[in-house]
Amino acid sequence: MSRKLSPEEIQVFKELFDSYDTDKGGNISVEEFAKVMSQSPGKPPSQAEVEQIIKEVDLDGDGTINFNEFITMMTGQPYPPPDEDAEYTNAWRQYEPSLKGSITQSQLRQLMAGLGDPISDVEIEQLVNNVDGEGKISFREFEHFMKNRNVEDEILSGYQ
């Protein structure tokens, strides 16, 4: 999961974005981006290179860079971040559509791999055996596990 930006970080990006958006139209045009790039150290990019950069970060296809696309370009992470709860729900529904039943250890392993967050055998054993004794996990238990796991990851990453 990606780290959430602080309000201060968003403000810094907003000020930078506003400095690029010289016509204050709410988007950075090819021309505005080319001007900024030409002022950067090194060889200025060609018009074709600038257009290619815009094309790569222009997620809505309007030929400009809006603020969300700008943050995505600067951080390499989608902005705004995807809703984790919806992501978990959608992943779970692939295995148990009603959200009222439970899934097996094997299904949980597949689900976690699909989220790009592999789970160890030890984690599965602890989770499943602490829950219902049947070797399965409910959606509520899964959601609780994921939220706690992400908090632990954020705490640990602060010490690296």
Side-chain angles (χ1 to χ4, degrees), residues 6-7 40 48 56 79 88 106 110 137 147 156:
S6 70
S40 299
E56 288 175 12
Y79 185 83
Y88 300 152
S106 173
Q110 291 171 356
I137 181 173
K147 288 181 181 180
L156 292 174

Side-chain angles (χ1 to χ4, degrees), residues 66-112:
N66 65 36
F67 184 60
N68 290 351
E69 293 165 340
F70 181 76
I71 290 181
T72 300
M73 174 181 72
M74 298 299 283
T75 64
Q77 300 175 8
Y79 185 83
D83 180 2
E84 285 182 357
D85 290 343
E87 185 179 11
Y88 300 152
T89 302
N90 291 337
W92 183 272
R93 285 185 193 271
Q94 294 176 15
Y95 299 93
E96 200 286 299
S98 74
L99 302 180
K100 293 181 170 80
S102 56
I103 63 172
T104 65
Q105 292 179 29
S106 173
Q107 289 171 318
L108 177 62
R109 188 173 280 107
Q110 291 171 356
L111 186 155
M112 294 298 291

Side-chain angles (χ1 to χ4, degrees), residues 17 20-21 27-37 45-70 72-73:
F17 177 84
Y20 290 9
D21 180 20
N27 291 319
I28 301 171
S29 67
V30 171
E31 294 78 20
E32 290 169 324
F33 194 66
K35 182 177 178 186
V36 169
M37 295 300 291
S46 69
Q47 182 71 15
E49 290 170 324
V50 171
E51 289 173 5
Q52 182 60 35
I53 293 168
I54 295 272
K55 188 176 182 181
E56 288 175 12
V57 298
D58 178 22
L59 302 175
D60 63 9
D62 68 355
T64 65
I65 302 173
N66 65 36
F67 184 60
N68 290 351
E69 293 165 340
F70 181 76
T72 300
M73 174 181 72

